[in-house]
Amino acid sequence: RVRGALRASTVAQRAKLSPRAQAVVKARICSLRGGMRVLVSALVERIDSARNASLCIGAAVDRLDFDADSQSTVLVKLCSGEQIVADHVVVAIPPRELAAILPHTVARDALAQMRYADVACVSLLSDTQLVPSEKQGFGILASRNGFDDPLVLGIIFDSCIFERTDDDNSRNEWRAVTVMMGG
């Protein structure tokens, strides 16, 4: 145990999670039956059913300001002219784009200078074995000199680490890998 840090299993026990939830917290990698859309749908449903909560997706934002009286209230000014007062805002845009809609602050300046690399994931599905049996495992992490294509960062052997979750028995022999590219 590293000083000042808690292991995932300790956090799960202290939070009094169900045994199934504790297993997920302890897992190094997990998947959702039905894919990530299951998580997104559950979050949307939870927010929509909560009192005093609303979800605004895909709205073009012109500016984010903070209420001078209450440093915790966010004023969201949409490009349509509508204004929304919020306690919490989730921003899912690159740092430089966020900097462009914030008031001039130290945080804005830091966001504007942040550098990052785009990463894309491409999933491949085949009816032939994509990973040789002697190479079964989690996947590979590519070094810059390891591939002919310098944009490949790594490959996850999905079929080796996740059990089949679909009910289509005719596709049991399909194999999947995910290639991460970018940088």
Side-chain angles (χ1 to χ4, degrees), residues 129-137 157 160:
Q129 189 168 356
L130 294 171
V131 181
S133 56
E134 69 274 5
K135 303 274 187 191
Q136 299 290 309
F157 304 153
C160 298

Side-chain angles (χ1 to χ4, degrees), residues 3 9 11 19 22 35 44 67 71 73 86 97 101 103-104 117 127-128 136 143 158 168 177:
R3 186 176 185 172
S9 59
V11 172
Q22 286 184 24
V44 168
D67 186 347
Q71 288 294 316
T73 302
E97 290 180 36
I101 62 173
H104 187 72
D127 60 354
T128 61
Q136 299 290 309
S143 68
D158 301 299
D168 185 357
V177 298

Side-chain angles (χ1 to χ4, degrees), residues 6-181:
L6 294 174
R7 292 182 33 212
S9 59
T10 306
V11 172
Q13 290 167 352
R14 288 188 182 170
K16 298 187 183 278
L17 298 175
S18 70
R20 183 175 179 156
Q22 286 184 24
V24 170
V25 170
K26 289 179 191 178
R28 301 233 185 267
I29 188 167
C30 62
S31 66
L32 298 172
R33 191 174 311 266
M36 288 300 293
R37 71 176 175 261
V38 172
L39 175 62
V40 173
S41 296
L43 290 171
V44 168
E45 184 179 316
R46 181 83 182 253
I47 291 169
D48 282 346
S49 66
R51 289 187 355 209
N52 298 326
S54 63
L55 192 58
C56 183
I57 299 173
V61 176
D62 182 52
R63 187 140 183 90
L64 292 177
D65 283 311
F66 300 95
D67 186 347
D69 298 331
S70 142
Q71 288 294 316
S72 64
T73 302
V74 182
L75 304 172
V76 182
K77 296 178 183 173
L78 302 180
C79 291
S80 66
E82 182 183 357
Q83 291 193 15
I84 301 170
V85 178
D87 294 323
H88 304 281
V89 174
V90 176
V91 178
I93 58 176
R96 287 188 183 146
E97 290 180 36
L98 175 58
I101 62 173
L102 287 175
H104 187 72
T105 63
V106 174
R108 176 185 172 167
D109 295 341
L111 286 167
Q113 294 174 14
M114 236 180 236
R115 296 179 54 155
Y116 60 91
D118 292 329
V119 175
C121 292
V122 177
S123 294
L124 305 171
L125 191 65
S126 173
D127 60 354
T128 61
Q129 189 168 356
L130 294 171
V131 181
S133 56
E134 69 274 5
K135 303 274 187 191
Q136 299 290 309
F138 176 81
I140 56 173
L141 183 62
S143 68
R144 285 288 179 206
N145 301 338
F147 286 102
D148 292 334
D149 187 346
L151 295 178
V152 174
L153 302 173
I155 302 171
I156 297 173
F157 304 153
D158 301 299
S159 297
C160 298
I161 56 175
F162 296 119
E163 66 183 55
R164 299 282 302 171
T165 58
D166 65 29
D167 296 327
D168 185 357
N169 291 329
S170 65
R171 293 177 48 193
N172 280 342
E173 297 305 316
W174 288 84
R175 302 290 181 250
V177 298
T178 299
V179 181
M180 294 165 288
M181 303 181 299

